[in-house]
Amino acid sequence: MTATSSSSSASPERAVSAAELPGYEPGTWVIDPVHSEIAFAVRHLGVANVRGRFDEFEGEIVLAENPLESSVTATIKIASVSTAHEQRDNHIRSADFLHAEEFPEMTFRSTGVRPDGAEGFLLDGELSVRGVTRPVTLDLELHGFGKGYEGRSVVGFTATTRIGRKDFGVTGGAVGATLGDTIKITLDVEASRG
């Protein structure tokens, strides 16, 4: 499995308390798709990146009293893929790539949270694509907590990881030879207190 975090090395684990995170509120937080983005990039012909995103997704973050016992779940609609090129988008939905007709959703379920360095975190989990489930680790940067509309509490973070597309059975058909195996995934997320 080639799914990895982008950290070059993890620091020794540190204790983390809610008191270190101003505005931290245990409970259920709902990902706001209007103010969030799930994006990806893959190398094309070894010289440039092709970028895209998924426009339909939902998710939930459960913040525990101990931040390191928190969890995340997310579901992404494969048919919502967008690379600003209709023919390419239809090909990505096909059996050569994500096979949206047979596997309409991609899912993520966290299995643990670890501190990384002085301020960062590593989010371990399981990613399911095309009926294949593999472990992944995301580098997570917490941007903080604040207040949104009507005083509702909000949280924002960015998470990144790299996965090997062939590990999930994504060959790309004849076009696959022009693409890199590594997919970089970036999640910019805003969630509000449910």
Side-chain angles (χ1 to χ4, degrees):
M1 177 63 200
T2 58
T4 61
S5 95
S6 58
S7 287
S8 57
S9 62
S11 301
E13 290 196 5
R14 69 182 194 278
V16 178
S17 71
E20 297 174 55
L21 307 171
Y24 187 92
E25 294 179 34
T28 300
W29 299 66
V30 178
I31 293 175
D32 177 0
V34 175
H35 298 101
S36 302
E37 181 180 64
I38 298 176
F40 62 89
V42 61
R43 189 75 73 184
H44 180 245
L45 296 173
V47 298
N49 286 320
V50 173
R51 302 179 187 278
R53 67 179 192 274
F54 293 93
D55 292 331
E56 295 181 27
F57 53 88
E58 59 185 17
E60 190 174 86
I61 302 163
V62 178
L63 296 183
E65 293 289 342
N66 176 354
L68 299 183
E69 294 176 359
S70 300
S71 63
V72 179
T73 56
T75 301
I76 301 161
K77 301 293 185 182
I78 297 299
S80 73
V81 67
S82 175
T83 65
H85 189 279
E86 185 177 1
Q87 183 178 357
R88 181 168 55 209
D89 294 348
N90 288 334
H91 195 189
I92 293 171
R93 296 180 187 111
S94 77
D96 283 348
F97 286 91
L98 298 179
H99 206 340
E101 184 175 349
E102 186 171 343
F103 305 102
E105 295 179 342
M106 179 189 323
T107 61
F108 174 81
R109 180 185 69 86
S110 68
T111 56
V113 183
R114 296 176 282 144
D116 182 42
E119 297 180 355
F121 296 89
L122 297 175
L123 180 65
D124 298 317
E126 296 179 338
L127 179 65
S128 296
V129 181
R130 289 182 57 114
V132 178
T133 300
R134 301 286 190 198
V136 296
T137 297
L138 295 95
D139 282 325
L140 191 150
E141 179 185 0
L142 178 64
H143 301 308
F145 296 83
K147 294 295 181 182
Y149 297 115
E150 300 177 350
R152 178 173 289 186
S153 297
V154 295
V155 61
F157 63 87
T158 297
T160 60
T161 193
R162 287 176 169 81
I163 63 171
R165 62 180 171 87
K166 294 176 185 175
D167 292 336
F168 294 91
V170 180
T171 65
V175 174
T178 69
L179 301 174
D181 180 46
T182 301
I183 310 291
K184 181 179 180 180
I185 300 172
T186 303
L187 301 90
D188 286 300
V189 174
E190 181 177 308
S192 60
R193 187 79 158 81

